[in-house]
Amino acid sequence: MNETIVKRPPWRVTFDGSFWHHPAGARSGQVLPLEKTFFWADRTWYLPAAYLCGQGLVLDLCTEAEPEAVRSFLDKWGPKEHRLTSLELTLIQAEHPLHMDLSPSLTVNGKIIGYPGGMGVGWYPHWDRNDREAQWLLEHYGLDPDKGWSIHRYCFPWATKRRPRRLSSLTLTLTPYPVPLPGPQFTVEGPGQQVSFVHPVTGQTHTLTVEEYEPQGEGDGQEDNGMIYPTRYVTLTYRLDPDLSQEAVILQDRAEGDKPYPKEPDPMAPQASCSVALFTLPEEPGLHAAASSLYFQPPKEVQWQMLLREKLHNDVTIPLL
């Protein structure tokens, strides 16, 4: 069988385009070679170039990963017999050797520019599912295909009405977001129950005390737009000693719950996704709350998974000029 050979398109960078596709009439940016390599957050980072466009500055940032780390991750989280649950997808974030949620900001001539948007691609060494356009990026920047790569493009609009005539200073600051780390798994029997755990980062021992644990919802389901949705769930309120902020701790039902189904089933229709319970967070200081997944019948037992969101690395600032 003859395979169609697609030739790599000419390299150009525009402010509103993607890596290889650009709006009609968009002007290419002026390349500013950087060739900067630095080590941060247990990873090697590479800044090959920036591009000066009329609307702003475009910056490409590459993250390197050793092939052993990528292979270990793929062996654990690669194609599975079952669809990954929302909890598994959340836990992947902390283990992915090429993933890191961060907020970049650029300081141009003393003016800070926030990050409004961008894009990214990944490269997995010796893997037959890599994207062709990712391979083209590696070839353009001369990156080692035997290593893993995450390549992100950030687009920063100028802080002034027009492009600066001269760049006297240019620095990049990377601010990582907190990542979810697995805490204890437990079931709840009722109010007063306590669960002790050690924080995976601080090493401090905390105690969770159940305040209220109640079933919610009624009926066998609720119809909406021809679909029947589950309505039963369980709410849990609790306190922590020592306390943690509302943003730092999450309790999640390890089960996906029951899926909605069509009132008049169509065997050709795609399967509906699971539904989500919405509830009001308590306003009382120190009181935390969580809700289980949704079910058609009250769950006999809920297996709770605690997630502790923690910022694992300090910000870093890289002088570019």
Side-chain angles (χ1 to χ4, degrees):
M1 182 186 301
N2 293 327
E3 294 185 359
T4 303
I5 299 177
V6 180
K7 186 178 180 180
R8 190 178 83 190
W11 178 260
R12 59 191 297 252
V13 176
T14 60
F15 191 80
D16 295 320
S18 63
F19 286 112
W20 297 102
H21 304 279
H22 310 280
R27 299 184 62 179
S28 299
Q30 175 189 353
V31 62
L32 175 64
L34 297 174
E35 300 291 339
K36 285 194 174 286
T37 301
F38 61 97
F39 188 80
W40 171 68
D42 303 323
R43 308 175 190 193
T44 298
W45 304 73
Y46 174 53
L47 286 161
Y51 302 87
L52 310 179
C53 303
Q55 304 99 311
L57 184 145
V58 178
L59 183 70
D60 284 350
L61 176 63
C62 311
T63 311
E64 175 188 316
E66 292 301 323
E68 295 79 8
V70 176
R71 174 51 54 192
S72 177
F73 175 82
L74 291 177
D75 288 344
K76 179 177 180 179
W77 294 108
K80 291 181 175 292
E81 296 180 356
H82 67 280
R83 181 181 64 87
L84 292 177
T85 66
S86 60
L87 178 60
E88 288 174 326
L89 291 172
T90 299
L91 293 174
I92 280 178
Q93 298 180 37
E95 299 185 23
H96 201 304
L98 292 174
H99 175 82
M100 187 172 186
D101 280 333
L102 54 81
S103 174
S105 63
L106 204 63
T107 303
V108 180
N109 296 346
K111 295 182 180 294
I112 298 177
I113 307 173
Y115 160 58
M119 67 205 74
V121 298
W123 172 266
Y124 298 84
H126 313 294
W127 200 46
D128 58 4
R129 300 186 183 186
N130 280 307
D131 187 270
R132 178 180 59 204
E133 295 187 355
Q135 180 180 352
W136 291 344
L137 277 171
L138 263 66
E139 293 172 353
H140 175 78
Y141 281 132
L143 305 177
D144 186 352
D146 289 330
K147 294 188 176 183
W149 292 97
S150 176
I151 305 173
H152 283 267
R153 172 163 291 176
Y154 301 121
C155 302
F156 301 90
W158 300 118
T160 52
K161 292 183 178 181
R162 297 181 180 179
R163 169 182 163 180
R165 294 184 177 181
R166 176 175 175 271
L167 296 182
S168 58
S169 63
L170 182 65
T171 60
L172 172 69
T173 298
L174 301 177
T175 301
Y177 291 119
V179 298
L181 304 174
Q185 302 173 19
F186 60 93
T187 58
V188 174
E189 297 180 358
Q193 180 178 339
Q194 292 188 328
V195 178
S196 293
F197 62 94
V198 177
H199 195 287
V201 175
T202 66
Q204 187 173 30
T205 299
H206 298 259
T207 300
L208 178 152
T209 301
V210 177
E211 292 286 323
E212 294 182 352
Y213 189 66
E214 299 177 344
Q216 305 288 344
E218 57 184 18
D220 297 329
Q222 180 177 345
E223 181 181 351
D224 185 22
N225 292 327
M227 298 291 294
I228 307 298
Y229 289 86
T231 56
R232 305 289 192 120
Y233 61 102
V234 175
T235 56
L236 164 64
T237 57
Y238 60 97
R239 296 185 185 276
L240 294 171
D241 183 25
D243 197 13
L244 295 168
S245 69
Q246 296 285 352
E247 298 78 17
V249 59
I250 301 170
L251 280 186
Q252 187 170 334
D253 188 345
R254 289 187 59 84
E256 290 283 90
D258 295 331
K259 298 181 183 298
Y261 61 88
K263 183 178 181 180
E264 298 179 2
D266 179 358
M268 302 302 293
Q271 188 178 27
S273 60
C274 62
S275 47
V276 180
L278 299 177
F279 68 106
T280 303
L281 292 173
E283 297 182 358
E284 183 179 341
L287 191 62
H288 300 256
S292 73
S293 301
L294 289 170
Y295 300 87
F296 286 108
Q297 297 297 326
K300 296 180 179 179
E301 181 180 83
V302 175
Q303 184 80 26
W304 296 96
Q305 171 71 63
M306 179 178 288
L307 299 174
L308 298 159
R309 299 180 72 250
E310 190 73 20
K311 185 176 175 179
L312 300 181
H313 304 283
N314 295 325
D315 301 359
V316 66
T317 297
I318 309 300
L320 303 182
L321 285 180

